[in-house]
Amino acid sequence: GAATTGIYTLSLHGALPISLTARIRNIFNVAVAEVEDQELWQRLTLAICCVSIDPSHANEMVSKVVAFVEESRPDLELLDYETEIISGV
């Protein structure tokens, strides 16, 4: 089947060390990048990209990433969460 790419953005309040983004990449095999908000003090937006043939699998993976961030960094506050699914890429 055609691949589905899920692009998820998480807006967080708090400082996020590079080691956490590396752990997210290694544990979940997703692409992670800091986007927007870099100049805003203690606010950051992460873009997480997961490629899968099953959109529900991509959503599940990113839900696990959100849970991981919330459990491992309770000092961070999730401000927003957006999803974009691109089918047939």
Side-chain angles (χ1 to χ4, degrees):
T4 298
T5 302
I7 301 171
Y8 307 85
T9 55
L10 311 176
S11 293
L12 303 165
H13 177 75
L16 186 71
I18 293 172
S19 62
L20 184 59
T21 57
R23 287 174 55 202
I24 292 169
R25 281 187 199 102
N26 294 336
I27 293 170
F28 299 100
N29 195 28
V30 294
V32 182
E34 288 186 36
V35 295
E36 304 174 354
D37 300 333
Q38 288 100 341
E39 288 80 35
L40 295 178
W41 183 73
Q42 289 204 335
R43 182 167 175 183
L44 117 115
T45 300
L46 290 182
I48 300 167
C49 181
C50 177
V51 178
S52 176
I53 59 169
D54 181 2
S56 63
H57 174 257
N59 278 321
E60 180 184 343
M61 289 301 297
V62 175
S63 292
K64 288 181 179 182
V65 171
V66 171
F68 172 77
V69 170
E70 289 179 330
E71 289 170 13
S72 62
R73 290 296 306 273
D75 57 311
L76 295 177
E77 178 186 0
L78 180 62
L79 300 173
D80 194 15
Y81 182 158
E82 294 179 20
T83 303
E84 179 181 355
I85 302 292
I86 304 168
S87 296
V89 289

